[in-house]
Amino acid sequence: MSNIHTATKSMKKLSSYLHSLSQTPHRLRKRMLATWTPDQEFNQVRHRSGADMKRKLNWYDLVALGVGGMLGVGVFVTTGSVALHHSGPSVFISYIIAGISALLSSLCYTEFAVQLPVAGGAFSYLRLTFGEFSGYFAGANILLEYVFSNAAVARSFTEYLSVAFGENDPNVWRVEVHGLPKDYNMLDFPAVAVILILTLFLCHSTKESSVLNLIMTAFHVIFFGFIIIAGYCNGSAKNLVNPKGIAPFGVRGVLDGAAIVYFSYIGYDSASTMAEEVKDPFKSLPIGIVGSVLTTTLLYCLMSLSLCMMVPYNKISEKASFSIAFLRIGWSWASNLVGAGASLGIVASLLVAMLGQARYLCVIGRARLVPSWLAKVHPSTGTPLNATVFLGICTACIALFTELDIIIELISIGTLLVFYMVANALIYHRYVITGQTPSSHTLLFLFLLSLSALCFSIAWKFKQQWWGLVLFGGFMIAITAFYQHVVLNATTAQHAQQQHWSVPFMPWPPSLSIFLNVFLITTLKTLSFQRFAIWACLITIFYVLYGVHNTYEAEEIEMGGISVVGDEVNSGAHNLQSKVEIQVH
């Protein structure tokens, strides 16, 4: 009888699911552009996790989380490869360009994070502004970038740790398996071990994880100072111009390098996902997010200059670059020290990134776009336990097999796309949802802005006439200035009454962010776009087959259709924002 009962239940579930699939067009129309108000996102959706995350973090915790999350990734993972193949000694200029773009994006993140201090980051900001599918698409790409970048960074941990113990071969602690495809045949068990250990630690407590990161980041910055001073004292400025000048691959090489090292700035996004656990988000978030980007950019530039002064760019090692550089100048003891310090920095980066990725998945689970058990917050630890464990296992599996070169550009394109979407969302949110500008005017401006950026980028990529660059660059400046003039009178007085932090000189910072992100995306290789297209298709299929039906049944049926669609949110979002601010304080 039990078998019959089970079979009957399975048939009913299958029948129900097939019925849901037949309703897909209707449900897509209802859900793709469905948005939440800030009040609903902060209160109603947040409570689906059961217990609340605990507000224990201060502004200095956020700065440390942002700096710790970025430092180990950028310098130790990407610098050597980019200097050798793309930028040469001018890799520091690549970091400056990527840093400017990251700073502009971080300003957009900060305004959203202050207005909506929940753990969802870009997912929540875009769902609030452009609807469910936009938020889901960004969230899925952020998760991909987190999991892949953490796997890549964990493999770099093995390389530097082996150098710390006096081994010159970065693959010495990996196990080669014959029969597996090339670039997937070097099994990395130390990388898996460090990911699993950090996963267990993160399940215990956010505050204790933050304290550990604060200590590691302090030692890390001191360690950076040693490398910078040692490199400048023992290196030579001649290595910056020999053998082929400061930019041996030209301006294009510098910009190509900037697109790749942009992967190094994921850490500030992690800081914004901690908004739900910050004591005073209106003060701490701007200091934490922007301060970490500025600090990290300065250290990146000094570190990359130090590397290129120690060793000519064409002799830089792709793997464990800094350790090998000290070996080549005869400082073998320093090579071991650098290996140990880099390993510590990489652990700090992993700690922060794994904090962030779990909170993203938790909030996506609250929205019912993935199974809701991933949204559960453990009542005693105040951490998203299920999401942390699930993503830790996924990251460990990828780190076991996959080489860094396979995934680094896929990470960059996903990061750039999400930051591009957030910049668009900020302009729309500021001038349409909380302002008085007609949505058609803003959408037309955003379309023309993206089009001018794309045309400029194509003209640059395919080496067209210089007048094309001047034309499209000038058009971008002109339409931004015209849009600013049109919307200024309509929004200045109303926005001046808002007490939360906001991006200055609007709409220029997000407009420049849109322009730079589009430009940097077009510098990536064709293979990156092919891999990204496959991923985009997969996540869209998952949304159509699962996500839209799950959210439709949760929001439209269970809750009586309380979600707000389209422009209905415009009239009430600003009033509801005040409720959010009162409750956070």
Side-chain angles (χ1 to χ4, degrees):
M1 290 294 292
S2 60
N3 291 338
I4 296 174
H5 180 67
T6 302
T8 303
K9 286 182 65 177
S10 299
M11 289 298 295
K12 286 182 178 178
K13 287 182 179 180
L14 178 61
S15 176
S16 176
Y17 178 67
L18 292 175
H19 174 72
S20 296
L21 286 182
S22 69
Q23 299 294 313
T24 298
H26 168 71
R27 295 184 175 188
L28 285 173
R29 286 194 298 271
K30 292 282 288 183
R31 296 304 310 165
M32 284 188 70
L33 299 179
T35 61
W36 287 87
T37 65
D39 182 66
Q40 291 168 338
E41 185 75 26
F42 186 78
N43 296 305
Q44 187 174 314
V45 177
R46 187 167 61 96
H47 291 160
R48 291 176 180 173
S49 290
D52 286 341
M53 296 184 192
K54 298 176 181 179
R55 292 191 179 274
K56 294 184 176 181
L57 304 181
N58 296 299
W59 66 266
Y60 50 83
D61 293 307
L62 285 183
V63 173
L65 285 167
V67 171
M70 289 184 277
L71 284 186
V73 176
V75 169
F76 298 122
V77 178
T78 60
T79 306
S81 176
V82 170
L84 182 63
H85 296 298
H86 299 279
S87 303
S90 60
V91 62
F92 76 97
I93 302 176
S94 296
Y95 274 116
I96 291 173
I97 295 169
I100 292 171
S101 184
L103 178 62
L104 293 171
S105 295
S106 72
L107 293 174
C108 302
Y109 265 80
T110 303
E111 179 167 328
F112 271 123
V114 169
Q115 292 184 44
L116 190 65
V118 295
F123 167 76
S124 294
Y125 311 152
L126 287 162
R127 195 164 72 109
L128 184 77
T129 307
F130 290 138
E132 181 176 276
F133 180 74
S134 176
Y136 163 79
F137 190 81
N141 277 288
I142 286 286
L143 281 176
L144 174 77
E145 125 200 346
Y146 270 126
V147 171
F148 274 29
S149 64
N150 290 343
V153 170
R155 289 182 72 90
S156 292
F157 167 82
T158 304
E159 295 167 2
Y160 275 101
L161 191 64
S162 65
V163 173
F165 282 90
E167 302 286 351
N168 294 334
D169 181 7
N171 288 321
V172 69
W173 286 0
R174 292 175 179 150
V175 178
E176 184 174 2
V177 178
H178 299 288
L180 291 177
K182 186 179 181 297
D183 295 328
Y184 298 93
N185 61 342
M186 300 297 291
L187 304 189
D188 197 327
F189 291 103
V192 173
V194 73
I195 289 171
L196 295 180
I197 291 170
L198 287 175
T199 298
L200 293 175
F201 193 85
L202 290 171
C203 290
H204 181 62
S205 169
T206 299
K207 181 59 179 178
E208 290 179 10
S209 301
S210 174
V211 171
L212 175 62
N213 173 74
L214 188 61
I215 295 170
M216 288 194 297
T217 299
F219 279 109
H220 201 190
V221 172
I222 295 171
F223 165 70
F224 265 43
F226 164 76
I227 294 179
I228 292 167
I229 294 170
Y232 291 160
C233 291
N234 293 277
S236 171
K238 292 181 180 179
N239 287 334
L240 296 178
V241 292
N242 290 324
K244 296 181 180 180
I246 196 168
F249 301 98
V251 177
R252 294 182 185 278
V254 174
L255 294 173
D256 289 347
I260 295 173
V261 301
Y262 203 90
F263 147 71
S264 311
Y265 289 92
I266 296 174
Y268 81 78
D269 177 76
S270 298
S272 74
T273 64
M274 307 306 295
E276 200 169 310
E277 296 161 85
V278 178
K279 289 181 180 178
D280 184 4
F282 303 103
K283 171 188 173 184
S284 299
L285 285 167
I287 298 174
I289 297 173
V290 177
S292 63
V293 172
L294 292 174
T295 303
T296 303
T297 301
L298 175 63
L299 290 172
Y300 278 167
C301 294
L302 293 176
M303 286 284 285
S304 55
L305 272 172
S306 174
L307 176 65
C308 294
M309 287 178 67
M310 283 193 287
V311 182
Y313 85 91
N314 59 339
K315 295 183 180 179
I316 292 175
S317 171
E318 278 193 80
K319 297 183 177 181
S321 307
F322 285 86
S323 292
I324 303 300
F326 275 104
L327 271 180
R328 287 179 175 167
I329 65 171
W331 282 31
S332 58
W333 65 270
S335 175
N336 297 341
L337 179 65
V338 169
S343 301
L344 179 66
I346 286 172
V347 170
S349 296
L350 279 172
L351 181 72
V352 176
M354 291 172 70
L355 271 171
Q357 71 180 17
R359 278 138 189 85
Y360 259 110
L361 186 58
C362 172
V363 175
I364 295 173
R366 289 176 184 172
R368 311 290 173 84
L369 290 162
V370 294
S372 57
W373 65 270
L374 290 168
K376 297 302 179 184
V377 172
H378 196 276
S380 60
T381 64
T383 60
L385 185 66
N386 295 342
T388 302
V389 172
F390 175 76
L391 288 176
I393 293 172
C394 291
T395 305
C397 291
I398 295 172
L400 180 62
F401 293 98
T402 314
E403 289 289 350
L404 173 65
D405 294 341
I406 301 296
I407 55 180
I408 192 167
E409 288 199 5
L410 181 59
I411 297 168
S412 290
I413 193 172
T415 307
L416 290 164
L417 179 65
V418 172
F419 293 168
Y420 162 81
M421 294 171 71
V422 171
N424 279 274
L426 178 64
I427 293 175
Y428 190 86
H429 189 268
R430 170 79 75 90
Y431 292 116
V432 178
I433 294 181
T434 62
Q436 302 171 7
T437 306
S439 59
S440 58
H441 294 177
T442 300
L443 290 173
L444 177 62
F445 165 66
L446 293 175
F447 171 75
L448 292 176
L449 179 64
S450 297
L451 183 63
S452 63
L454 182 61
C455 292
F456 180 94
S457 304
I458 291 173
W460 171 269
K461 187 176 181 69
F462 294 102
K463 304 178 182 179
Q464 299 299 313
Q465 298 296 326
W466 64 268
W467 59 262
L469 303 178
V470 175
L471 174 64
F472 296 121
F475 182 69
M476 187 277 291
I477 295 172
I479 60 172
T480 305
F482 178 74
Y483 180 76
Q484 181 186 32
H485 174 73
V486 169
V487 303
L488 189 63
N489 295 331
T491 60
T492 298
Q494 183 259 349
H495 191 71
Q497 298 173 0
Q498 297 181 2
Q499 298 179 355
H500 57 74
W501 188 93
S502 58
V503 175
F505 309 114
M506 282 287 286
W508 290 98
S511 298
L512 290 172
S513 179
I514 290 169
F515 190 86
L516 281 173
N517 284 320
V518 170
F519 183 81
L520 292 174
I521 287 173
T522 60
T523 64
L524 296 173
K525 296 177 182 176
T526 303
L527 186 59
S528 299
F529 290 93
Q530 293 171 346
R531 290 171 175 163
F532 178 76
I534 294 171
W535 171 247
C537 289
L538 289 175
I539 59 177
T540 302
I541 291 170
F542 181 84
Y543 177 76
V544 171
L545 295 181
Y546 177 85
V548 69
H549 303 293
N550 213 34
T551 59
Y552 180 86
E553 291 169 3
E555 316 300 352
E556 303 290 344
I557 298 175
E558 292 178 14
M559 305 179 70
I562 70 164
S563 63
V564 185
V565 181
D567 292 334
E568 293 175 18
V569 73
N570 297 354
S571 61
H574 176 59
N575 294 331
L576 288 168
Q577 178 64 38
S578 61
K579 298 179 183 178
V580 177
E581 293 178 357
I582 291 169
Q583 292 177 15
V584 174
H585 283 301

